[in-house]
Amino acid sequence: MSLKVAIQGTRASFHEEAAFKYFGEEIETIECDSFKKTCELLKQKKTDYVVMAIENSIAGSLLPNYNLLRDYKFHIVGEVHLNIQQHLMALPGVKLEDIRHIESHPIAIRQCEEYLTELQNVKISEGMDTAACAKKIADNGLKDTAAIAGQLAAKIYGLNILDRRIETNKKNTTRFLILQNDIIEHKNANKASLSFQTGNNVGALANILQCFAEQNINLSKIQSMPVIGKRNEYDFYVDVEWKKQAEFDTAIRKVLKHTINFNIMGEYVKNEKI
């Protein structure tokens, strides 16, 4: 029986591409219209994993997803990086000069602003998902409309790519987390996602970061989020990387003395393939 993986978005979305990249294509992806829905399915054990975008190299962190990580307390068991390549696509036979409407996800539209500003007499509209916009064109036979989406969407929905790589920044990558209910121990783990709060004393966060530095632990990301209902209090989400497990273990023991509500959200193998 194939693994069930919940994704936000429609079939052929970038979330599905990320799922295929991590698990291979012999999986069953479950389409969800929101990130919260993916989490609910995992909580109810109706899916084995969730693939969740957490940050984009251009748009930054997806802050609402940090709230979901906090609320659902799933375990992060892996990560995958995907090079986001945006293409303009339409029905076979349709030419660029036939296009009067272009639809895509608002972030995808922003990623392609330079290209889009050069087009004339074209209305740009926001949709729920890149792949969903491609599917809409195919389902409704729209001959005056193009979508901005990934190559997989063109393949799945039988669309022709009018222009390739229309994103402004060609080094556009998104990092996705792999979430599961159960802890998976990785013998070769070299990265971890942590969350904690600090005291209000001067230099509280600096003391914690110093504990990592003293043990040669690299901080690859730090994100703060307000603690709901508490003024001037923050949850810190930190990704750390190490070469020696013993140094990581020592750093954690030291950090525990300086933090409140410390949690190891997951230890996993760093993904370096883009």
Side-chain angles (χ1 to χ4, degrees):
M1 188 168 62
S2 59
L3 288 175
K4 293 182 178 181
V5 181
I7 60 169
Q8 186 275 331
T10 309
R11 186 184 179 206
S13 67
F14 289 115
H15 271 83
E16 186 171 62
E17 282 196 44
F20 287 160
K21 185 174 180 180
Y22 188 85
F23 294 103
E25 297 190 13
E26 300 302 315
I27 60 173
E28 177 186 350
T29 51
I30 302 175
E31 302 170 27
C32 299
D33 56 12
S34 69
F35 287 110
K36 184 174 178 62
K37 180 66 180 296
T38 67
C39 291
E40 281 296 313
L41 290 181
L42 185 58
K43 179 182 178 181
Q44 297 165 15
K45 298 185 177 180
K46 293 181 179 179
T47 185
D48 299 303
Y49 295 92
V50 163
V51 173
M52 176 185 286
I54 198 66
E55 63 179 314
N56 176 265
S57 59
I58 297 173
S61 297
L62 280 73
L63 298 182
N65 287 356
Y66 279 98
N67 290 331
L68 292 175
L69 293 176
R70 178 199 63 206
D71 295 343
Y72 284 91
K73 296 180 172 58
F74 296 135
H75 299 288
I76 300 171
V77 298
E79 66 176 359
V80 60
H81 295 270
L82 193 66
N83 191 338
I84 304 300
Q85 300 182 0
Q86 305 285 12
H87 309 297
L88 187 70
M89 57 193 67
L91 289 171
V94 173
K95 299 179 181 179
L96 186 59
E97 53 265 32
D98 301 326
I99 300 301
R100 294 293 174 265
H101 304 274
I102 294 177
E103 296 186 9
S104 193
H105 187 277
I107 291 180
I109 291 172
R110 289 204 300 272
Q111 291 171 348
C112 303
E113 279 182 334
E114 283 191 12
Y115 176 87
L116 295 175
T117 54
E118 295 180 0
L119 299 180
Q120 297 180 345
N121 302 318
V122 176
K123 181 181 179 181
I124 312 298
S125 302
E126 296 182 354
M128 291 296 294
D129 178 66
T130 54
C133 293
K135 183 176 186 296
K136 177 183 175 182
I137 291 172
D139 289 348
N140 296 283
L142 303 178
K143 295 183 178 180
D144 64 346
T145 305
I148 299 172
Q151 185 166 316
L152 183 61
K155 178 182 177 182
I156 294 296
Y157 300 115
L159 301 183
N160 180 47
I161 294 180
L162 300 176
D163 266 332
R164 294 181 178 273
R165 304 299 306 273
I166 66 171
E167 70 274 9
T168 303
N169 191 321
K170 306 306 179 185
K171 295 182 179 180
N172 178 15
T173 61
T174 296
R175 176 180 174 232
F176 299 81
L177 300 178
I178 312 300
L179 309 178
Q180 192 183 32
N181 275 311
D182 303 319
I183 296 177
I184 295 179
E185 289 192 16
H186 291 286
K187 293 182 179 180
N188 299 318
N190 57 2
K191 187 171 183 177
S193 294
L194 317 172
S195 66
F196 55 81
Q197 297 167 19
T198 69
N200 288 322
N201 53 301
V202 175
L205 180 59
N207 290 335
I208 295 167
L209 300 184
Q210 184 63 28
C211 292
F212 290 122
E214 289 172 352
Q215 299 301 318
N216 301 310
I217 306 300
N218 180 48
L219 265 70
S220 57
K221 181 177 176 63
I222 183 167
Q223 179 72 52
S224 64
M225 295 286 290
V227 177
I228 296 176
K230 295 186 178 181
R231 185 181 178 187
N232 296 330
E233 292 190 26
Y234 295 87
D235 285 312
F236 290 95
Y237 296 88
V238 175
D239 292 334
V240 297
E241 302 170 6
W242 64 90
K243 293 183 179 179
K244 296 180 180 180
Q245 183 70 36
E247 292 179 336
F248 171 70
D249 294 340
T250 299
I252 294 301
R253 286 196 296 271
K254 292 185 176 183
V255 166
L256 282 170
K257 300 175 183 178
H258 300 279
T259 57
I260 305 165
N261 296 328
F262 180 87
N263 179 37
I264 297 179
M265 302 165 68
E267 296 179 23
Y268 47 95
V269 177
K270 176 184 177 182
N271 176 251
E272 300 188 41
K273 295 181 179 180
I274 302 299

